[in-house]
C-alpha cells in the first residue's frame, strides 16, 4: 500500500512526517476490503492535497495538523463509508483553515466532495450577536447540509469523536464547553441515527471532562469490580450456552459491559449505589434470523424466570433509529438480575452502525431501507422546523427537545405506529401525523374516549385527532407541547399572525407620524422607499411597518427620514398641525392590547404606549402606571376609540354586600338582566367589616362604559349591596 502514496507525483510529500506517512498508508490499507483501486488512488490524492494545505499547521498537542483529518477519515473506515465521504473527511478543514475555495475543491475532487466539505465548514465570516448565536448558526448550517447528505453528519461525528479523544491539551473551561455541547447535541444525534458505539464513547468522554472526579472514582471502581465479577459472568455464560445448545439453537453469546456514563446516569436517576448497578449482569445473544430470536427468548425464559414488566419487543416495533432487538430481564442465580438482548446478525450491524450500515452493506434488504426511511423522515422534519424557526438559537432549542432518547409508541386508528418523545401530548401527535392536522386540531380521542388536547400519551395508546377546517393553533399550546416540530409550527403561525397585525398598526402609526409633521404620506414615492430600505438593510416596507407596530422603530423618526430622502423636509415643519389620534377597536389581535393594569373599555379616555416586541398597549388616561411615571411619556401616542367597536371587554368589579342567603344569586341575576356576562368570580372576607359582610370580585364582560354604568345601576338597586366599585390595580 505504501506505493499508493509514493506513486503520487507531489513534491510537497517530502516534508511529511514519517509517522503521518505511515498513518496515511495504514488508513489506505484499511479500505482494501471494500474500495476499488481507483477509489484508493483518489483518496491518496485527497490526502496529498490536505497535507499540502495544512503545511506548517500544528494541533495544540504539537502534532502536525494533518494527523487530525487523517484520524477522522480512519474512524469513518470502521463504518465502511464510500470514497467521497472519506475524501470529505480528509479535506474537511481546508476551507476553514487554509483558504481553499469551494470552486477549487469542485474542480479537483468533484461537486459532491466540495458540498461535504462546505457543510462541515463554519460560518466565520458572518457577524453574530453572541457566541451562542454563532454556535447555533454553525450547527443549523451543518444540520441542513446533513439533510441534503447524511454523510456530513457522519463526518462531523467522527470529527467530534477524535477531538474528544485528544482534548487533554486544551484549557479546562474549553474542555467543559465542548464536552457539554457533545453531551447535549452530538451524542444524542449519534444515538438518533443509530451509531451506538460512537454514542457511548462520546457520552463517556463528555462525562470524563464535565465531571473528572466522578469519572475517576467510577472508572477505578469499575476496574476493581471486573475481577470480582468474572467468575459469576462465566457461570451465567456457560448456563446460557448449554441451554441454547440443548435447544439446538446456534448463537453467539457474550457478556455486555455497560458504559461508564450509563452506570452514572442510572445511579442518579434511580438513586442506586455503584454496587447495586453493578449487580445487574448484561449479555448479548446473536442468532441467525428473526424466528430464532423468539425461539431463543423462549429457551432463556425456561432457564431463568423473567421479571414481569421487563420485556420489550423492539423487533416488532423498532426504535426511531431503526434499532431492533428483544430485551428481557431475568432472575439469575442467587436472585441476580440478568439483562439479555437477543438479535440477528443484521440487526446487530444496524445496532452498532445505524444509518451508516447503508454504506456498509448495500444489500437491498428491507430492514436497511426502513432505517434509511426513518432517518429521512427525521431529516425532513428538521428542514420543516428550520424554515419556520425565527433564528438559529430557536432552531437549536427545537432540535435539542427532539434528541432525547426516551420514547413512547402510539397507534393511529388504522394501526400505524408513531414513536414520540416521552411526555408528548395529543397536539404533538397531531403535528407528527401532518402539520396541517396539527394546525387544525380541536379535540382528541385516546382509546376511543375524548380527552383534553394536553393529555400525555402512554405506550400502546390509540390516538385519534378531531380537526376542523377553520381551526387555528392556540398560543396556550406552547405551555404543554413537547416536540420541536409542534413548537416550531405553533410559533411560526403566531409570528405570521402577529406580523400581519403589526404591519396594519405600523401603517396607522406612520400616517400619524406624517400628520404630526404636517405632511401627507402619499408624497413618499416607491423610489424614496427603495432608498430608505437599502439604507437600513431591510427587505420590504412591510418589515419596517411591522417594526413600527412592534415598537422597534419610532414613527416620527421614520417619517422624518422618508421626507428627507424625498427632499421635502424642513425643520420649520415641526410644530405643524396636531396629529390625528389613532383609532382603535380593541379587537385588532396581538398588535394592539388592552393593558391589564387599568382594563380600558370604549368610552374611557385612553392613551397608547408602544412597547417593544408587544405592539401598542392601550391604557386609560388616569392609569396608575402613567400617574406614577412608570411609562416614558415621550413614547405615549394619542389614541381614541373607533366609533364602530363590536366586541366585549373584561372589567373587574368589586362588590361589598351583606352575607345573607341568596345574595350571590341576586347579584348574578342583576348582572344578567343588564345583558352582561360573568367570566370569573371570587369571594373573600373584607378587612374592617364584621362577618355579616362579604366582598365579591367579578370579572364582567361589557361592550362600553355606558353598558358598565347600566350594570352598576342594577347592582346599586339591590338592598344587600353596600359598596360597588370598578377596580384599578
Amino acid at each position: 500500500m505504501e506505493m499508493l502514496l509514493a506513486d503520487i507525483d507531489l513534491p510537497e510529500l517530502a516534508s511529511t512526517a514519517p509517522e503521518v506517512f505511515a498513518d496515511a498508508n495504514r488508513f489506505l490499507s484499511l479500505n482494501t476490503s471494500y474500495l476499488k483501486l481507483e477509489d484508493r488512488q483518489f483518496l491518496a490524492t485527497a490526502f496529498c492535497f490536505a497535507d499540502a494545505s495544512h503545511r506548517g499547521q500544528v494541533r495544540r498537542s504539537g502534532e502536525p495538523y494533518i494527523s487530525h483529518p487523517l484520524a477522522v477519515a480512519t474512524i469513518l473506515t470502521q463504518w465502511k463509508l464510500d470514497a467521497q465521504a472519506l475524501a470529505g473527511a480528509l479535506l474537511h478543514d481546508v476551507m476553514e483553515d487554509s483558504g481553499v475555495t469551494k470552486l477549487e475543491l469542485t474542480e479537483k475532487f468533484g461537486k459532491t466532495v466540495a458540498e461535504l466539505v462546505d457543510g462541515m465548514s463554519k460560518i466565520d465570516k458572518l457577524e453574530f450577536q453572541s457566541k451562542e448565536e454563532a454556535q447555533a448558526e454553525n450547527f443549523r448550517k451543518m444540520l441542513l447540509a446533513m439533510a441534503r447528505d447524511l454523510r456530513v453528519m457522519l463526518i462531523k461525528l467522527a470529527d467530534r469523536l477524535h477531538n474528544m479523544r485528544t482534548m487533554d491539551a486544551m484549557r479546562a473551561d474549553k474542555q467543559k464547553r465542548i464536552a457539554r455541547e457533545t453531551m447535549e447535541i452530538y451524542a444524542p444525534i449519534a444515538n438518533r441515527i443509530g451509531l451506538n458505539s460512537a454514542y457511548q464513547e462520546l457520552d463517556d468522554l463528555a462525562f470524563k471532562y464535565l465531571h473528572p472526579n466522578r469519572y475517576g472514582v467510577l472508572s477505578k471502581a469499575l476496574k476493581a469490580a471486573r475481577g470480582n465479577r468474572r467468575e459469576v459472568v462465566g457461570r451465567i455464560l456457560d448456563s446460557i450456552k448449554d441451554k441454547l445448545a440443548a435447544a439446538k439453537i446456534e448463537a453467539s453469546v457474550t457478556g455486555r459491559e455497560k458504559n461508564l456514563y450509563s452506570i452514572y446516569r442510572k445511579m442518579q436517576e434511580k438513586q442506586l449505589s455503584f454496587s447495586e448497578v453493578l449487580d445487574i449482569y448484561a449479555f448479548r445473544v446473536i442468532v441467525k434470523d428473526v424466528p430464532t430470536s423468539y425461539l431463543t427468548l423462549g429457551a432463556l425464559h425456561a432457564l431463568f424466570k423473567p421479571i414481569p414488566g421487563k420485556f420489550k419487543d423492539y423487533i416488532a416495533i423498532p426504535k426511531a433509529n431503526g434499532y431492533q432487538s428483544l430485551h428481557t430481564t431475568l432472575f439469575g442465580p442467587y436472585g441476580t438480575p440478568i439483562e439479555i438482548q437477543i438479535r440477528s446478525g443484521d440487526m446487530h450491524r444496524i445496532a452498532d452502525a445505524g444509518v451508516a450500515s447503508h454504506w456498509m452493506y448495500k444489500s437491498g434488504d428491507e430492514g436497511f431501507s426502513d432505517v434509511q426511511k426513518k432517518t429521512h423522515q427525521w431529516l425532513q422534519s428538521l428542514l420543516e422546523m428550520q424554515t419556520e424557526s425565527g433564528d438559529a438559537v430557536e432552531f437549536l432549542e427545537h432540535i435539542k427537545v427532539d434528541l432525547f432518547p426516551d420514547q413512547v409508541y402510539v397507534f393511529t386508528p388504522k394501526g400505524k405506529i408513531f414513536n414520540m418523545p416521552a411526555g408528548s401530548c395529543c397536539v404533538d401527535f397531531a403535528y407528527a401525523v401532518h402539520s396541517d392536522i396539527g394546525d387544525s386540531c380541536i379535540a382528541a380521542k385516546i382509546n376511543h374516549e375524548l380527552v383534553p388536547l394536553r393529555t400525555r400519551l402512554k405506550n400502546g395508546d390509540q390516538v385519534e385527532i378531531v380537526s376542523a377546517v377553520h381551526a387555528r393553533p392556540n398560543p396556550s399550546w406552547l405551555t404543554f407541547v413537547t416536540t420541536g416540530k409542534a413548537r416550531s409550527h405553533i410559533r411560526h403561525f403566531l409570528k405570521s399572525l402577529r406580523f400581519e397585525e403589526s404591519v396594519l398598526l405600523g401603517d396607522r402609526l406612520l400616517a400619524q407620524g406624517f400628520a404630526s409633521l404636517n405632511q401627507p404620506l402619499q408624497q413618499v414615492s416607491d423610489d424614496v422607499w427603495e432608498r430608505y430600505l437599502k439604507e437600513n438593510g431591510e427587505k420590504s416596507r412591510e418589515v419596517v411597518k411591522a417594526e413600527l407596530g412592534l415598537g422597534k422603530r419610532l414613527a416620527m423618526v421614520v417619517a422624518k427620514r422618508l421626507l428627507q430622502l424625498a427632499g421635502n423636509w424642513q425643520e420649520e415643519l415641526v410644530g405643524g398641525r396636531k396629529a390625528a389620534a389613532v383609532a382603535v377597536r380593541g379587537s385588532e389581535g396581538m398588535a394592539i392590547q388592552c393593558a391589564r393594569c387599568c382594563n380600558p373599555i370604549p368610552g374611557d379616555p385612553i392613551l397608547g404606549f408602544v412597547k417593544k416586541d408587544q405592539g401598542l398597549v392601550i391604557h386609560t388616561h388616569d392609569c396608575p402606571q402613567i400617574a406614577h411615571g412608570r411609562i416614558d411619556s415621550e413614547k405615549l401616542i394619542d389614541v381614541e376609540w373607533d366609533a364602530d367597536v363590536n366586541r366585549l371587554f373584561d372589567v373587574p368589579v368589586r362588590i361589598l354586600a351583606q352575607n345573607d342567603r341568596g345574595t350571590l344569586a341576586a347579584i348574578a341575576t342583576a348582572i344578567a338582566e343588564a345583558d352582561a356576562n360573568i367570566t370569573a368570580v371570587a369571594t373573600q372576607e373584607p378587612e374592617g367589616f364584621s362577618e355579616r359582610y362579604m366582598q365579591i370580585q367579578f370579572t364582567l364582560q361589557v361592550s362600553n362604559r355606558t353598558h358598565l354604568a347600566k350594570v352598576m345601576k342594577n347592582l346599586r338597586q339591590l338592598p344587600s349591596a353596600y359598596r360597588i366599585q370598578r377596580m384599578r390595580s
Side-chain angles (χ1 to χ4, degrees):
M1 292 308 300
E2 290 189 16
M3 291 301 294
L4 276 172
L5 284 181
D7 283 348
I8 305 294
D9 187 20
L10 288 176
E12 292 90 341
L13 272 176
S15 63
T16 301
E19 62 273 17
V20 174
F21 195 85
D23 287 344
N25 281 307
R26 187 161 57 251
F27 155 68
L28 290 169
S29 69
L30 290 170
N31 305 321
T32 313
S33 61
Y34 72 99
L35 288 185
K36 297 175 185 175
L37 182 63
E38 56 265 33
D39 289 335
R40 299 203 298 279
Q41 186 76 19
F42 176 68
L43 291 176
T45 308
F47 167 75
C48 294
F49 183 86
D51 180 58
S53 299
H54 291 300
R55 182 64 36 77
Q57 296 173 7
V58 292
R59 304 192 81 208
R60 284 183 181 271
S61 60
E63 295 173 295
Y65 192 84
I66 187 64
S67 64
H68 168 63
L70 187 55
V72 172
T74 303
I75 291 171
L76 294 179
T77 59
Q78 297 165 16
W79 304 336
K80 304 289 190 296
L81 258 65
D82 57 10
Q84 290 175 323
L86 297 177
L90 289 168
L91 300 164
H92 79 264
D93 278 333
V94 296
M95 284 176 66
E96 187 182 338
D97 295 345
S98 305
V100 176
T101 64
K102 186 177 177 182
L103 181 62
E104 193 178 346
L105 285 177
T106 305
E107 289 171 354
K108 286 182 179 293
F109 302 101
K111 187 179 178 182
T112 303
V113 172
E115 289 287 348
L116 291 173
V117 175
D118 185 52
M120 286 287 294
S121 301
K122 294 192 179 78
I123 323 167
D124 291 335
K125 291 176 184 175
L126 297 180
E127 290 185 7
F128 300 102
Q129 297 296 317
S130 66
K131 198 169 186 178
E132 289 74 21
E133 189 182 338
Q135 283 179 319
E137 187 59 50
N138 289 332
F139 187 70
R140 171 153 80 168
K141 183 188 178 193
M142 188 179 58
L143 273 176
L144 297 181
M146 162 182 150
R148 290 191 294 272
D149 192 332
L150 185 63
R151 288 172 293 185
V152 171
M153 182 49 74
L154 295 173
I155 297 170
K156 183 60 189 177
L157 288 171
D159 173 57
R160 179 53 62 111
L161 186 55
H162 183 251
N163 280 332
M164 291 296 293
R165 286 173 179 174
T166 57
M167 213 161 53
D168 288 337
M170 288 185 178
R171 294 195 319 267
D173 60 325
K174 197 169 183 182
Q175 287 176 347
K176 284 189 184 298
R177 179 181 62 75
I178 294 171
R180 187 169 291 107
E181 185 182 76
T182 299
M183 191 167 278
E184 288 180 0
I185 298 169
Y186 292 102
I189 284 181
N191 183 40
R192 184 62 182 73
I193 62 178
L195 282 168
N196 195 49
S197 56
Y199 160 59
Q200 291 185 347
E201 188 176 354
L202 285 169
D203 259 350
D204 277 356
L205 290 168
F207 176 45
K208 173 184 174 182
Y209 290 107
L210 279 173
H211 305 290
N213 291 336
R214 297 175 199 181
Y215 178 88
V217 170
L218 278 180
S219 184
K220 195 180 287 183
L222 187 61
K223 282 177 186 172
R226 273 185 196 140
N228 303 332
R229 290 161 52 90
R230 196 169 293 139
E231 187 184 338
V232 179
V233 170
R235 231 178 311 153
I236 297 172
L237 208 56
D238 290 340
S239 300
I240 293 173
K241 286 178 179 177
D242 291 344
K243 183 66 180 177
L244 296 181
K248 297 182 180 177
I249 295 172
E250 290 182 21
S252 160
V253 187
T254 54
R256 181 175 61 86
E257 193 163 90
K258 294 176 184 294
N259 66 309
L260 211 57
Y261 182 64
S262 71
I263 291 172
Y264 172 70
R265 195 168 54 201
K266 189 169 264 189
M267 286 170 64
Q268 278 204 315
E269 287 173 359
K270 300 190 175 180
Q271 299 294 303
L272 301 174
S273 68
F274 176 75
S275 60
E276 287 174 309
V277 176
L278 260 288
D279 279 347
I280 301 170
Y281 293 84
F283 298 88
R284 182 172 293 135
V285 182
I286 312 294
V287 295
K288 64 177 181 179
D289 53 26
V290 173
T292 313
S293 299
Y294 289 102
L295 285 174
T296 304
L297 179 72
L300 294 178
H301 280 192
L303 175 65
F304 299 120
K305 296 297 180 195
I307 297 176
K310 291 287 188 177
F311 168 65
K312 290 178 182 174
D313 188 344
Y314 292 120
I315 292 179
I317 305 176
K319 288 189 178 182
N321 59 16
Y323 175 89
Q324 288 184 288
S325 192
L326 296 176
H327 288 196
T328 186
T329 306
L330 313 172
F331 283 110
Y334 320 113
T336 307
I338 305 171
E339 290 179 357
I340 296 181
Q341 297 175 349
I342 307 165
R343 59 176 78 136
S344 70
D346 287 345
M347 290 175 198
H348 183 58
R349 285 193 288 270
I350 293 176
D352 196 49
V355 80
S357 61
H358 169 68
W359 287 276
M360 204 186 285
Y361 305 98
K362 295 184 181 177
S363 63
D365 186 287
E366 281 302 307
F368 299 140
S369 66
D370 283 348
V371 180
Q372 289 300 108
K373 200 184 297 179
K374 287 179 179 178
T375 305
H376 178 71
Q377 287 170 351
W378 180 58
L379 294 176
Q380 289 308 305
S381 74
L382 294 187
L383 286 176
E384 218 174 296
M385 274 190 262
Q386 107 83 17
T387 56
E388 298 184 345
S389 295
D391 54 46
V393 176
E394 186 180 299
F395 176 60
L396 185 56
E397 174 202 325
H398 294 157
I399 294 298
K400 280 184 181 179
V401 169
D402 277 357
L403 287 175
F404 290 112
D406 296 333
Q407 295 186 322
V408 293
Y409 296 85
V410 295
F411 299 82
T412 66
K414 291 183 178 179
K416 186 178 178 183
I417 300 169
F418 279 81
N419 20 3
M420 309 286 299
S424 294
C425 63
C426 298
V427 175
D428 291 306
F429 176 78
Y431 277 105
V433 175
H434 197 281
S435 52
D436 290 344
I437 292 176
D439 285 343
S440 58
C441 71
I442 55 169
K445 291 180 181 178
I446 293 182
N447 303 325
H448 309 292
E449 291 185 10
L450 274 171
V451 295
L453 286 173
R454 63 169 62 239
T455 305
R456 301 293 171 195
L457 305 178
K458 300 190 296 295
N459 263 327
D461 280 344
Q462 186 192 91
V463 189
E464 182 183 348
I465 299 297
V466 181
S467 58
V469 177
H470 301 296
R472 291 291 178 266
N474 189 323
S476 67
W477 291 355
L478 287 172
T479 61
F480 56 77
V481 293
T482 298
T483 60
K485 183 175 181 179
R487 195 170 291 277
S488 69
H489 271 287
I490 297 163
R491 282 180 173 171
H492 176 67
F493 174 81
L494 295 176
K495 282 176 185 173
S496 301
L497 182 67
R498 191 177 186 185
F499 181 82
E500 292 164 12
E501 293 172 352
S502 300
V503 170
L504 293 172
L505 174 59
D507 213 11
R508 290 152 73 181
L509 293 174
L510 188 59
Q512 186 194 44
F514 271 89
S516 66
L517 298 173
N518 204 21
Q519 292 289 305
L521 177 59
Q522 288 75 13
Q523 71 177 14
V524 180
S525 66
D526 290 344
D527 180 56
V528 170
W529 266 110
E530 284 299 322
R531 286 159 60 196
Y532 179 84
L533 294 174
K534 193 172 181 181
E535 184 181 89
N536 289 274
E538 295 293 358
K539 293 178 182 177
S540 66
R541 64 180 79 180
E542 282 71 29
V543 172
V544 175
K545 289 175 182 178
E547 290 190 345
L548 285 170
L550 289 169
K552 294 180 178 180
R553 294 176 188 263
L554 292 175
M556 182 77 79
V557 174
V558 174
K560 189 187 290 187
R561 183 58 190 149
L562 286 168
L563 287 171
Q564 287 172 342
L565 292 171
N568 294 332
W569 169 251
Q570 297 173 1
E571 288 296 331
E572 54 265 26
L573 289 175
V574 179
R577 64 190 171 87
K578 189 177 185 296
V582 175
V584 297
R585 292 191 181 92
S587 57
E588 287 84 350
M590 299 170 74
I592 298 181
Q593 305 168 45
C594 293
R596 296 286 184 191
C597 50
C598 52
N599 295 289
I601 59 175
D604 288 337
I606 53 174
L607 290 167
F609 169 64
V610 180
K611 192 169 185 181
K612 188 171 181 182
D613 290 335
Q614 289 189 23
L616 187 63
V617 184
I618 308 301
H619 294 264
T620 60
H621 76 295
D622 58 348
C623 174
Q625 296 280 349
I626 298 173
H628 297 149
R630 292 176 189 150
I631 294 175
D632 187 351
S633 58
E634 291 182 7
K635 292 186 179 179
L636 291 172
I637 293 171
D638 283 329
V639 289
E640 62 184 15
W641 292 107
D642 193 291
D644 182 26
V645 178
N646 187 23
R647 62 156 282 197
L648 297 175
F649 294 79
D650 287 344
V651 181
V653 173
R654 184 183 290 153
I655 301 172
L656 184 66
Q658 291 177 16
N659 192 2
D660 297 333
R661 180 183 296 175
T663 295
L664 195 57
I667 292 172
T669 302
I671 292 170
E673 286 174 352
D675 293 324
N677 185 39
I678 301 170
T679 60
V681 61
T683 62
Q684 63 184 78
E685 290 184 13
E687 291 183 16
F689 288 86
S690 68
E691 292 180 359
R692 290 184 56 246
Y693 290 90
M694 64 177 172
Q695 188 167 280
I696 315 167
Q697 183 178 314
F698 292 95
T699 301
L700 307 180
Q701 285 189 321
V702 298
S703 54
N704 51 41
R705 195 163 170 157
T706 306
H707 189 191
L708 178 62
K710 181 182 174 184
V711 174
M712 295 181 84
K713 182 182 178 183
N714 276 15
L715 291 171
R716 287 193 179 100
Q717 290 173 354
L718 295 174
S720 57
Y722 181 71
R723 183 188 298 161
I724 304 160
Q725 64 181 131
R726 178 180 172 184
M727 287 177 62
R728 311 274 184 179
S729 60

